[in-house]
Amino acid sequence: MITRRPYGTETAVTMAYLAQPDQQQKLEWLDGGQFAVLLDSAATDGQLTVGRFTVNKGEAPPYHMHTREDEVFMLLKGTALLWCDDEEMELSEGGIVYLPRNVPHGYRITSDTADLLMMCTPAGIEGMFRHAGRDLASPRPEGFEISPERLAEATDKYGQIILGPPR
């Protein structure tokens, strides 16, 4: 049996979970990108967050590290530069990266567009995206932006540490 739970409704996780694309929360993210919450804490009993970024050339989060979760991301489409500690690497389409918690990292999209799949364990990082981003299902407030202050507040609240500007 599979539980179908639209975003915003809570159910105890006692069985598998399914959400069709129109049921997944989509957030406005950095540099005009989009972050879709595919699986969150509520859907996985706190075990796993899965999200998908759809972004454009130049998108780059601040150089940062996670203190609460391990991260895996896969570049489904596009190319990027990746920094792990101070090592720079190229990531091509289909490439996958494992980033244990407390490892400084960042990336910059080098292709015109990119599609990234992110998985974090345990769950919870979706709260940071929800706090700093904006749900695309609601009207865009005039002047909305993900300011450095808004991002810093969200990262601090959810166990991320910003170490520097985007690379």
Side-chain angles (χ1 to χ4, degrees):
M1 184 182 264
I2 294 180
T3 299
R4 295 169 196 229
R5 181 186 58 86
Y7 168 71
T9 60
E10 302 300 321
T11 51
V13 176
T14 57
M15 58 192 79
Y17 170 82
L18 177 141
Q20 298 294 348
D22 63 343
Q23 297 171 305
Q24 299 161 4
Q25 183 186 29
K26 292 173 182 60
L27 303 169
E28 181 176 340
W29 194 236
L30 299 174
D31 302 318
Q34 183 182 108
F35 178 73
V37 181
L38 306 181
L39 291 172
D40 63 7
S41 296
T44 66
D45 198 25
Q47 300 300 304
L48 176 69
T49 296
V50 179
R52 189 170 183 176
F53 294 94
T54 305
V55 294
N56 295 313
K57 187 173 190 167
E59 190 272 340
Y63 195 64
H64 65 283
M65 71 179 184
H66 307 263
T67 64
R68 299 180 185 169
E69 61 277 321
D70 299 326
E71 178 181 23
V72 172
F73 71 83
M74 181 174 193
L75 190 57
L76 301 173
K77 177 184 174 189
T79 57
L81 289 175
L82 171 73
W83 291 269
C84 185
D85 284 325
D86 284 323
E87 184 179 353
E88 180 180 316
M89 298 162 270
E90 290 186 33
L91 187 62
S92 58
E93 198 164 292
I96 191 164
V97 179
Y98 169 65
L99 299 159
R101 67 194 76 189
N102 299 316
V103 172
H105 62 278
Y107 66 85
R108 177 172 298 282
I109 301 303
T110 55
S111 54
D112 289 339
T113 61
D115 188 359
L116 296 111
L117 184 67
M118 178 202 77
M119 295 162 276
C120 290
T121 185
I125 194 170
E126 70 276 8
M128 188 266 305
F129 292 101
R130 288 172 172 153
H131 187 92
R134 181 187 69 81
D135 192 322
L136 292 173
S138 60
R140 190 173 203 271
E142 189 172 321
F144 175 83
E145 71 171 354
I146 301 174
S147 66
E149 296 78 22
R150 183 181 182 106
L151 186 59
E153 179 181 284
T155 56
D156 185 55
K157 185 173 182 175
Y158 290 94
Q160 317 307 305
I161 298 174
I162 294 176
L163 301 169
R167 298 270 168 118

